[in-house]
């Protein structure tokens, strides 16, 4: 009964907070020469509407009365806007963009700066279907302020870009896959002949959280398709995205450090790494949320879209560093007298974990970005997202398979001599370490005693 009540409250809250999805772009006393407003993949029959209000143009200091070219540049097709520097000039004077205008692939809509409003409507004709890029040009760099509402619609009253249309099905399919994986993992945890450690339980919680997050994401994008945003579902999506991201990075870091598998305690260095990686993940989630919900073109959006990949890269480097450190520890231990074969086996197994992690980071951070450039506009996002979901699920499935709870799993064997050796290395925290070692022995051997 309690579960039904909670579910009903969430549903009512989500449906009761439906609001128009597209944020209004507000520019206040901005002197940028070029403002990126957004991109949208149009299909034949789609429409573009722009409504600009409260336009104010203030001459900059040292204005010589040069002719002002202020307006919207509409590019139909791939854009080189990010690769050209206009710090000392105007994009409209660049030969590349002049050729685009002459060929009809770009269109400049000059604004009358004596007017405070501007409206534009265009219906996409056959042959014009393409990824359109919308930019605001400010030549020379006057101080400008305005409010802009843009509305892009594809046929069938679909507010999603051409490459986004299949996304609800992609995310829904991903949710089903994670729920199925969590059910399979739970059956493995409940078997009698298994060694279950805390990381095993955390992996189950992670799989369930990802399934819930993907469910909310599918619902969120579904409402975006209709031109509205169910804010309740969106809030739930970001909550679970934060929990999933934090738990995911924590589990990978703990496994990489060997906690509960190679060693039953966390060293001071491991704890410091966790204290670094968790705030980084929080910052990454904040950056992702703000960049997704802030109007494209605003200064906040530009800042947070740069923060996200930088923080993400730092997190990846930290995780790889932890894995390398654990590998080095195993390599040195492999030379210990009487344990050469055993430790070399552990080193080899941990090396495969390192390889899987490196491949995952490469595929999701480099290959995916390459595909965004290489694929046609109507496939670029949903294919990339589908590939990213498959790669991520494959990564978690590989890690789960290698560290699955079963008797004598070479990844989860903690040698008694290793425990004694670790006691000596962590003498400052002897009481705490001894307690963790005792707990690990007790937890890891419970099923053996039952037999």
């Amino acid at each position: 009964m309690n579960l039904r009540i909670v579910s009903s409250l969430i549903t009512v809250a989500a449906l009761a907070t439906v609001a128009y999805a597209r944020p209004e772009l507000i520019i206040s006393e901005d002197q940028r020469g070029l403002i990126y407003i957004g991109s949208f993949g149009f299909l034949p029959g789609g429409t573009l509407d722009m409504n600009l209000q409260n336009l104010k143009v203030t001459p900059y200091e040292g204005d010589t009365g040069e002719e002002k070219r202020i307006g919207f540049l509409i590019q139909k097709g791939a854009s080189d806007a990010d690769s050209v520097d206009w710090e000392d000039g105007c994009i409209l004077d660049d030969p590349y963009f002049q050729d685009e205008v002459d060929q009809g692939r770009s269109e400049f809509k000059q604004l009358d700066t004596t007017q405070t409003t501007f409206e534009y409507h265009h219906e996409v004709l056959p042959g014009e279907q393409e990824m359109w890029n919308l930019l605001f040009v400010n030549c020379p760099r006057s101080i400008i302020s305005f409010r802009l509402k843009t509305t892009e619609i594809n046929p069938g009253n679909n507010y999603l870009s051409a490459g986004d249309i299949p996304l609800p099905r992609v995310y829904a399919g991903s949710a089903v896959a994670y729920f199925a994986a969590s059910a399979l993992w739970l059956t493995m945890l409940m078997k009698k002949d298994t060694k279950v450690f805390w990381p095993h339980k955390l992996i189950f919680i992670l799989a369930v959280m990802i399934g819930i997050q993907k469910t909310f994401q599918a619902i969120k994008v579904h409402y975006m398709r209709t031109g509205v945003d169910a804010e309740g579902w969106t809030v739930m999506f970001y909550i679970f995205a934060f929990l999933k991201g934090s738990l995911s990075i924590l589990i990978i870091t703990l496994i990489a450090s060997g906690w509960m598998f190679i060693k039953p305690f966390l060293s001071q260095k491991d704890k410091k790494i966790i204290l670094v990686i968790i705030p980084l993940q929080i910052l990454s989630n904040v950056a992702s949320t703000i960049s997704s919900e802030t109007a494209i073109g605003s200064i906040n959006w530009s800042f947070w879209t740069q923060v996200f990949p930088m923080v993400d890269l730092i997190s990846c480097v930290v995780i790889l560093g932890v894995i390398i450190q654990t590998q080095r520890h195993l390599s040195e231990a492999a030379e210990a007298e009487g344990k050469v074969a055993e430790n070399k086996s552990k080193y080899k197994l941990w090396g495969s974990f390192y390889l899987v992690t490196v491949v995952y980071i490469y595929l999701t951070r480099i290959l995916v970005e390459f595909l965004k450039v290489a694929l046609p506009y109507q496939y670029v996002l949903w294919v990339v997202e589908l590939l990213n979901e498959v790669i991520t699920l494959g990564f978690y499935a590989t890690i789960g398979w290698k560290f699955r709870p079963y008797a004598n799993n070479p990844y989860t064997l903690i040698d008694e001599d290793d425990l004694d050796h670790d006691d000596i290395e962590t003498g400052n925290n002897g009481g705490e370490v001894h307690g963790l070692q005792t707990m690990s022995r007790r937890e890891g051997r419970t099923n053996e005693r039952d037999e």
Side-chain angles (χ1 to χ4, degrees), residues 237-310:
F237 161 70
Y238 284 119
I239 289 175
F240 278 93
F242 168 75
L243 295 175
K244 181 267 294 184
S246 300
L247 184 58
S248 174
I249 202 77
L250 178 61
I251 289 174
I252 294 174
T253 304
L254 291 175
I255 292 177
S257 69
W259 180 64
M260 283 296 183
F261 294 123
I262 290 179
K263 57 186 180 183
F265 65 93
L266 289 174
S267 66
Q268 289 299 321
K269 182 178 288 186
D270 295 334
K271 293 175 183 178
K272 290 178 181 179
I273 290 173
I274 291 174
L275 290 177
V276 170
I277 203 73
I278 293 300
L280 282 175
Q281 184 60 35
I282 293 173
L283 180 59
S284 176
N285 279 280
V286 170
S288 177
T289 301
I290 294 177
S291 61
S292 298
E293 297 301 317
T294 303
I296 298 176
S298 64
I299 294 178
N300 286 339
W301 178 85
S302 302
F303 172 76
W304 288 107
T305 50
Q306 296 173 7
V307 169
F308 175 72
M310 179 180 65

XYZ file of all heavy atoms in Angstrom, residues 237-310:
590
model
N 14.668 12.493 -12.833
C 15.764 12.023 -13.690
C 17.103 12.532 -13.188
O 18.074 11.767 -13.072
C 15.529 12.485 -15.133
C 16.769 12.468 -15.973
C 17.353 11.275 -16.363
C 17.376 13.657 -16.370
C 18.511 11.256 -17.133
C 18.523 13.659 -17.138
C 19.098 12.450 -17.522
N 17.189 13.821 -12.861
C 18.462 14.383 -12.418
C 18.865 13.858 -11.037
O 20.065 13.691 -10.753
C 18.407 15.905 -12.417
C 18.512 16.493 -13.803
C 17.490 17.268 -14.341
C 19.639 16.257 -14.588
C 17.586 17.794 -15.616
C 19.744 16.780 -15.860
C 18.712 17.549 -16.378
O 18.816 18.054 -17.631
N 17.889 13.588 -10.180
C 18.209 13.016 -8.870
C 18.865 11.648 -9.033
O 19.922 11.359 -8.458
C 16.947 12.909 -8.004
C 16.475 14.303 -7.569
C 17.200 12.034 -6.772
C 15.163 14.299 -6.818
N 18.240 10.786 -9.840
C 18.789 9.454 -10.028
C 20.053 9.472 -10.877
O 20.919 8.604 -10.724
C 17.730 8.525 -10.631
C 16.787 7.953 -9.614
C 15.587 8.585 -9.331
C 17.111 6.793 -8.917
C 14.721 8.072 -8.380
C 16.250 6.280 -7.961
C 15.049 6.913 -7.693
N 20.170 10.449 -11.779
C 21.412 10.592 -12.543
C 22.570 10.923 -11.608
O 23.682 10.400 -11.760
C 21.257 11.674 -13.607
N 22.306 11.799 -10.622
C 23.340 12.139 -9.643
C 23.706 10.931 -8.789
O 24.889 10.639 -8.590
C 22.844 13.281 -8.753
C 23.692 13.515 -7.539
C 24.928 14.134 -7.646
C 23.261 13.095 -6.289
C 25.723 14.327 -6.524
C 24.042 13.290 -5.167
C 25.281 13.913 -5.286
N 22.692 10.211 -8.286
C 22.964 9.040 -7.453
C 23.696 7.966 -8.248
O 24.666 7.354 -7.749
C 21.649 8.485 -6.895
C 20.888 9.388 -5.921
C 19.548 8.766 -5.561
C 21.712 9.646 -4.667
N 23.256 7.749 -9.479
C 23.898 6.740 -10.322
C 25.340 7.101 -10.618
O 26.250 6.269 -10.523
C 23.116 6.593 -11.626
C 23.669 5.550 -12.581
C 24.649 6.099 -13.607
C 23.979 7.040 -14.576
N 24.923 7.500 -15.632
N 25.579 8.363 -10.985
C 26.928 8.793 -11.315
C 27.875 8.675 -10.137
O 28.999 8.182 -10.266
N 27.413 9.098 -8.962
C 28.254 9.043 -7.764
C 28.542 7.602 -7.354
O 29.685 7.245 -7.034
C 27.572 9.784 -6.610
O 27.351 11.138 -6.942
N 27.496 6.753 -7.372
C 27.689 5.361 -6.977
C 28.563 4.619 -7.985
O 29.415 3.805 -7.615
C 26.332 4.663 -6.839
C 26.359 3.219 -6.342
C 27.036 3.130 -4.979
C 24.939 2.651 -6.276
N 28.380 4.917 -9.260
C 29.163 4.261 -10.310
C 30.646 4.562 -10.164
O 31.489 3.653 -10.172
C 28.665 4.707 -11.680
O 29.491 4.197 -12.708
N 30.980 5.838 -10.007
C 32.387 6.221 -9.893
C 32.978 5.681 -8.602
O 34.161 5.309 -8.548
C 32.532 7.762 -9.973
C 33.960 8.149 -10.407
C 32.203 8.424 -8.662
C 34.204 7.982 -11.863
N 32.172 5.593 -7.525
C 32.647 5.047 -6.255
C 32.956 3.563 -6.382
O 34.016 3.091 -5.926
C 31.607 5.284 -5.166
C 31.934 4.718 -3.776
C 33.209 5.358 -3.228
C 30.769 4.913 -2.830
N 32.054 2.812 -7.020
C 32.261 1.369 -7.172
C 33.497 1.078 -8.011
O 34.327 0.225 -7.651
C 31.010 0.718 -7.810
C 29.846 0.717 -6.810
C 31.310 -0.712 -8.241
C 28.543 0.231 -7.400
N 33.637 1.793 -9.125
C 34.799 1.568 -9.989
C 36.090 1.892 -9.246
O 37.094 1.181 -9.357
C 34.681 2.409 -11.274
C 33.496 1.917 -12.116
C 35.965 2.326 -12.100
C 33.206 2.780 -13.319
N 36.074 2.983 -8.453
C 37.261 3.352 -7.685
C 37.582 2.305 -6.623
O 38.753 1.941 -6.430
C 37.058 4.726 -7.012
O 36.726 5.702 -8.013
C 38.314 5.171 -6.301
N 36.559 1.799 -5.931
C 36.780 0.787 -4.901
C 37.324 -0.511 -5.499
O 38.252 -1.126 -4.956
C 35.482 0.510 -4.146
C 34.956 1.636 -3.243
C 33.600 1.272 -2.662
C 35.947 1.946 -2.133
N 36.741 -0.919 -6.637
C 37.232 -2.132 -7.291
C 38.662 -1.918 -7.785
O 39.526 -2.787 -7.649
C 36.304 -2.531 -8.456
C 34.938 -2.977 -7.918
C 36.926 -3.661 -9.275
C 33.940 -3.324 -9.003
N 38.912 -0.736 -8.364
C 40.249 -0.439 -8.880
C 41.292 -0.468 -7.775
O 42.438 -0.876 -7.992
C 40.248 0.925 -9.564
N 40.906 -0.044 -6.559
C 41.847 -0.037 -5.437
C 42.031 -1.419 -4.830
O 42.939 -1.634 -4.030
C 41.368 0.933 -4.345
O 40.191 0.443 -3.721
N 41.155 -2.369 -5.227
C 41.257 -3.735 -4.713
C 40.516 -3.981 -3.421
O 40.635 -5.049 -2.823
N 39.703 -3.012 -2.976
C 39.011 -3.134 -1.698
C 38.076 -4.338 -1.694
O 37.284 -4.522 -2.623
C 38.225 -1.860 -1.409
C 37.477 -1.898 -0.103
C 38.016 -1.981 1.137
C 36.058 -1.848 0.076
N 37.022 -1.983 2.090
C 35.797 -1.903 1.460
C 34.980 -1.767 -0.804
C 34.521 -1.873 1.985
C 33.703 -1.743 -0.286
C 33.476 -1.796 1.097
N 38.156 -5.123 -0.645
C 37.332 -6.301 -0.403
C 37.647 -7.471 -1.339
O 37.166 -8.560 -1.154
C 35.826 -5.990 -0.500
C 35.289 -5.271 0.718
S 35.402 -6.273 2.195
C 34.625 -5.175 3.368
N 38.456 -7.217 -2.382
C 38.805 -8.296 -3.301
C 40.271 -8.712 -3.110
O 40.577 -9.868 -2.842
C 38.552 -7.871 -4.747
C 37.107 -7.643 -5.043
C 36.661 -6.417 -5.530
C 36.176 -8.642 -4.840
C 35.329 -6.217 -5.807
C 34.832 -8.440 -5.117
C 34.405 -7.227 -5.604
N 41.174 -7.730 -3.238
C 42.582 -8.002 -2.996
C 42.941 -7.670 -1.554
O 43.728 -8.348 -0.919
C 43.458 -7.195 -3.979
C 43.290 -7.765 -5.384
C 44.922 -7.273 -3.577
C 44.093 -7.027 -6.420
N 42.376 -6.593 -1.022
C 42.637 -6.203 0.361
C 41.313 -5.841 1.023
O 40.450 -5.218 0.393
C 43.601 -5.014 0.407
C 43.115 -3.800 -0.365
C 44.168 -2.729 -0.412
C 43.669 -1.501 -1.186
N 44.682 -0.463 -1.317
N 41.133 -6.216 2.295
C 39.838 -6.003 2.953
C 39.740 -4.674 3.688
O 38.966 -4.544 4.623
C 39.788 -7.173 3.940
C 41.215 -7.358 4.333
C 42.044 -7.037 3.112
N 40.535 -3.683 3.298
C 40.491 -2.401 3.979
C 40.835 -1.313 2.968
O 41.319 -1.586 1.867
C 41.496 -2.358 5.136
C 42.921 -2.452 4.666
C 43.656 -1.307 4.422
C 43.504 -3.684 4.451
C 44.960 -1.389 3.961
C 44.804 -3.772 3.992
C 45.536 -2.630 3.743
N 40.570 -0.079 3.333
C 40.950 1.074 2.515
C 42.129 1.776 3.188
O 42.049 2.147 4.357
C 39.781 2.046 2.370
C 38.620 1.590 1.486
C 37.479 2.600 1.572
C 39.062 1.432 0.048
N 43.207 1.946 2.428
C 44.360 2.663 2.964
C 44.048 4.155 3.021
O 43.046 4.626 2.461
C 45.582 2.408 2.088
O 45.392 2.977 0.800
N 44.922 4.900 3.678
C 44.737 6.350 3.757
C 44.761 6.972 2.364
O 44.018 7.911 2.082
C 45.828 6.959 4.641
C 45.683 6.642 6.118
C 44.377 7.173 6.692
O 43.925 8.267 6.353
N 43.752 6.386 7.564
N 45.615 6.446 1.489
C 45.679 6.966 0.120
C 44.369 6.705 -0.621
O 43.872 7.554 -1.355
C 46.838 6.330 -0.631
C 47.012 6.854 -2.052
C 48.208 6.230 -2.745
C 49.493 6.771 -2.152
N 50.686 6.282 -2.910
N 43.784 5.496 -0.432
C 42.502 5.175 -1.063
C 41.410 6.133 -0.609
O 40.593 6.605 -1.410
C 42.083 3.738 -0.734
C 43.030 2.715 -1.336
O 43.669 3.032 -2.348
O 43.132 1.609 -0.770
N 41.408 6.420 0.700
C 40.394 7.329 1.245
C 40.545 8.737 0.665
O 39.554 9.415 0.365
C 40.488 7.368 2.769
C 40.116 6.048 3.443
C 40.333 6.105 4.947
C 40.023 4.777 5.602
N 40.276 4.780 7.060
N 41.799 9.179 0.496
C 42.027 10.499 -0.082
C 41.555 10.555 -1.530
O 40.988 11.553 -1.986
C 43.508 10.855 0.010
C 43.990 11.127 1.425
C 45.486 11.426 1.456
C 45.960 11.679 2.887
N 47.418 11.939 2.943
N 41.792 9.453 -2.256
C 41.346 9.403 -3.654
C 39.826 9.497 -3.729
O 39.262 10.203 -4.573
C 41.851 8.115 -4.325
C 43.373 8.187 -4.511
C 41.169 7.903 -5.673
C 43.996 6.908 -5.007
N 39.137 8.776 -2.839
C 37.672 8.824 -2.821
C 37.186 10.232 -2.482
O 36.207 10.728 -3.052
C 37.123 7.788 -1.823
C 37.384 6.381 -2.353
C 35.631 7.998 -1.584
C 37.014 5.282 -1.384
N 37.880 10.897 -1.549
C 37.508 12.262 -1.185
C 37.742 13.236 -2.329
O 37.182 14.334 -2.335
C 38.308 12.706 0.051
C 37.941 12.027 1.369
C 38.855 12.518 2.489
C 36.481 12.296 1.724
N 38.554 12.854 -3.302
C 38.762 13.682 -4.494
C 37.742 13.332 -5.578
O 37.137 14.212 -6.198
C 40.200 13.499 -5.037
C 40.348 14.164 -6.409
C 41.208 14.096 -4.068
N 37.530 12.042 -5.805
C 36.713 11.596 -6.933
C 35.233 11.913 -6.731
O 34.519 12.228 -7.691
C 36.923 10.080 -7.168
C 36.579 9.705 -8.618
C 36.118 9.251 -6.221
C 37.559 10.155 -9.626
N 34.736 11.842 -5.488
C 33.316 12.115 -5.250
C 32.974 13.586 -5.514
O 32.006 13.891 -6.222
C 32.908 11.694 -3.823
C 32.995 10.165 -3.687
C 31.501 12.168 -3.507
C 32.105 9.408 -4.653
N 33.744 14.559 -4.980
C 33.457 15.957 -5.341
C 33.567 16.221 -6.844
O 32.794 17.014 -7.387
C 34.518 16.748 -4.558
C 34.859 15.885 -3.403
C 34.778 14.491 -3.926
N 34.510 15.560 -7.510
C 34.616 15.717 -8.959
C 33.345 15.230 -9.650
O 32.847 15.859 -10.589
C 35.822 14.942 -9.491
C 37.203 15.576 -9.295
C 38.293 14.628 -9.777
C 37.299 16.917 -10.016
N 32.808 14.099 -9.178
C 31.586 13.576 -9.767
C 30.402 14.491 -9.488
O 29.532 14.688 -10.344
C 31.297 12.169 -9.221
C 30.093 11.490 -9.841
C 30.229 11.308 -11.337
O 31.317 11.070 -11.823
N 29.141 11.426 -12.054
N 30.351 15.063 -8.296
C 29.288 16.021 -7.976
C 29.373 17.235 -8.903
O 28.368 17.687 -9.450
C 29.386 16.460 -6.504
C 29.060 15.274 -5.581
C 28.450 17.629 -6.215
C 29.286 15.573 -4.108
N 30.591 17.759 -9.088
C 30.781 18.898 -9.991
C 30.405 18.533 -11.414
O 29.795 19.333 -12.128
C 32.242 19.361 -9.925
C 32.622 20.554 -10.817
C 31.774 21.774 -10.478
C 34.101 20.867 -10.667
N 30.738 17.313 -11.832
C 30.385 16.858 -13.178
C 28.874 16.807 -13.363
O 28.346 17.215 -14.406
C 30.998 15.478 -13.431
O 30.617 14.963 -14.686
N 28.152 16.309 -12.351
C 26.691 16.255 -12.428
C 26.077 17.653 -12.451
O 25.112 17.895 -13.177
C 26.136 15.466 -11.243
C 26.199 13.965 -11.455
O 25.370 13.379 -12.124
N 27.214 13.346 -10.890
N 26.630 18.563 -11.654
C 26.136 19.940 -11.651
C 26.342 20.576 -13.016
O 25.443 21.227 -13.568
C 26.856 20.765 -10.560
C 26.539 22.249 -10.716
C 26.439 20.281 -9.172
N 27.527 20.382 -13.598
C 27.825 20.949 -14.908
C 26.905 20.385 -15.975
O 26.388 21.113 -16.835
C 29.284 20.684 -15.274
N 26.667 19.068 -15.937
C 25.789 18.433 -16.915
C 24.358 18.951 -16.797
O 23.699 19.232 -17.804
C 25.820 16.916 -16.726
O 24.934 16.276 -17.604
N 23.871 19.096 -15.564
C 22.504 19.567 -15.346
C 22.324 20.999 -15.818
O 21.372 21.326 -16.528
C 22.145 19.473 -13.850
O 22.283 18.110 -13.416
C 20.727 19.939 -13.605
N 23.257 21.876 -15.434
C 23.142 23.287 -15.803
C 23.248 23.464 -17.309
O 22.473 24.209 -17.925
C 24.209 24.123 -15.078
C 23.950 24.116 -13.569
C 24.223 25.558 -15.600
C 24.991 24.860 -12.762
N 24.193 22.769 -17.948
C 24.354 22.910 -19.395
C 23.149 22.370 -20.156
O 22.838 22.844 -21.248
C 25.629 22.203 -19.863
O 25.574 20.818 -19.581
N 22.456 21.374 -19.574
C 21.272 20.807 -20.236
C 20.039 21.678 -20.080
O 19.201 21.747 -20.979
C 20.980 19.409 -19.673
O 22.048 18.528 -19.927
N 19.917 22.362 -18.943
C 18.699 23.110 -18.646
C 18.827 24.609 -18.889
O 17.821 25.313 -18.901
C 18.301 22.864 -17.186
C 17.950 21.412 -16.880
C 16.793 20.900 -17.716
O 15.794 21.628 -17.880
O 16.910 19.776 -18.244
N 20.051 25.109 -19.082
C 20.246 26.534 -19.330
C 20.074 26.825 -20.809
O 20.406 26.000 -21.661
C 21.656 26.967 -18.874
O 21.813 26.635 -17.493
C 21.854 28.463 -19.047
N 19.550 27.990 -21.126
C 19.354 28.379 -22.520
C 20.687 28.404 -23.250
O 21.661 28.997 -22.779
C 18.682 29.750 -22.593
N 20.737 27.730 -24.410
C 21.954 27.729 -25.221
C 22.250 29.157 -25.679
O 21.377 29.874 -26.143
C 21.777 26.808 -26.444
C 21.536 25.373 -25.986
C 22.993 26.869 -27.355
C 21.247 24.416 -27.116
N 23.509 29.532 -25.560
C 23.917 30.879 -25.948
C 24.188 31.787 -24.766
O 24.895 32.788 -24.906
N 23.645 31.450 -23.615
C 23.907 32.264 -22.429
C 25.339 32.043 -21.966
O 25.968 31.026 -22.266
C 22.925 31.913 -21.309
O 23.105 30.572 -20.888
N 25.862 32.981 -21.200
C 27.238 32.874 -20.708
C 27.376 31.683 -19.763
O 28.386 30.968 -19.781
C 27.660 34.185 -20.013
C 27.710 35.324 -21.044
C 29.007 34.027 -19.337
C 28.064 36.668 -20.459
N 26.374 31.423 -18.935
C 26.415 30.277 -18.029
C 26.521 28.967 -18.805
O 27.257 28.057 -18.427
C 25.169 30.253 -17.140
C 25.222 31.309 -16.055
O 26.294 31.789 -15.707
N 24.068 31.680 -15.532
N 25.756 28.872 -19.909
C 25.787 27.655 -20.720
C 27.175 27.449 -21.299
O 27.716 26.339 -21.271
C 24.763 27.759 -21.848
C 24.767 26.557 -22.751
C 24.098 25.377 -22.561
C 25.478 26.417 -23.989
N 24.346 24.512 -23.592
C 25.186 25.124 -24.483
C 26.315 27.248 -24.720
C 25.717 24.651 -25.689
C 26.858 26.780 -25.922
C 26.548 25.495 -26.387
N 27.801 28.497 -21.817
C 29.141 28.385 -22.398
C 30.149 27.913 -21.356
O 31.023 27.079 -21.651
C 29.580 29.740 -22.974
O 28.674 30.193 -23.953
N 30.034 28.431 -20.139
C 30.990 28.063 -19.085
C 30.833 26.603 -18.675
O 31.817 25.846 -18.632
C 30.795 28.978 -17.873
C 31.600 28.571 -16.672
C 32.958 28.828 -16.608
C 30.987 27.911 -15.601
C 33.700 28.448 -15.493
C 31.724 27.529 -14.489
C 33.080 27.805 -14.444
N 29.601 26.171 -18.389
C 29.390 24.828 -17.861
C 29.588 23.751 -18.914
O 29.951 22.610 -18.585
C 28.004 24.714 -17.235
C 27.903 25.458 -15.941
C 27.250 26.631 -15.706
C 28.512 25.099 -14.697
N 27.410 27.025 -14.402
C 28.178 26.109 -13.752
C 29.306 24.034 -14.277
C 28.604 26.061 -12.432
C 29.739 23.992 -12.962
C 29.389 24.982 -12.058
N 29.382 24.051 -20.196
C 29.668 23.065 -21.234
C 31.164 22.818 -21.373
O 31.575 21.769 -21.875
C 29.104 23.527 -22.595
O 29.517 24.874 -22.867
C 27.593 23.451 -22.613
N 31.981 23.759 -20.944
C 33.426 23.560 -20.936
C 33.896 22.859 -19.665
O 34.881 22.115 -19.689
C 34.146 24.909 -21.080
C 33.891 25.597 -22.409
C 34.474 27.000 -22.455
O 35.182 27.417 -21.537
N 34.187 27.731 -23.515
N 33.175 23.077 -18.569
C 33.546 22.451 -17.301
C 33.327 20.941 -17.344
O 34.172 20.159 -16.875
C 32.754 23.065 -16.128
C 32.925 22.238 -14.853
C 33.196 24.497 -15.894
N 32.203 20.509 -17.914
C 31.828 19.096 -17.872
C 32.894 18.175 -18.471
O 33.344 17.222 -17.806
C 30.481 18.881 -18.559
C 30.086 17.437 -18.655
C 29.693 16.732 -17.528
C 30.120 16.775 -19.867
C 29.346 15.398 -17.606
C 29.773 15.444 -19.959
C 29.382 14.755 -18.823
N 33.341 18.372 -19.743
C 34.351 17.449 -20.277
C 35.669 17.502 -19.532
O 36.366 16.481 -19.420
C 34.507 17.907 -21.737
C 33.997 19.301 -21.780
C 32.940 19.386 -20.726
N 36.026 18.660 -19.005
C 37.285 18.780 -18.272
C 37.236 17.951 -16.985
O 38.166 17.188 -16.683
C 37.569 20.247 -17.945
C 38.856 20.467 -17.167
S 39.143 22.212 -16.800
C 37.755 22.550 -15.701
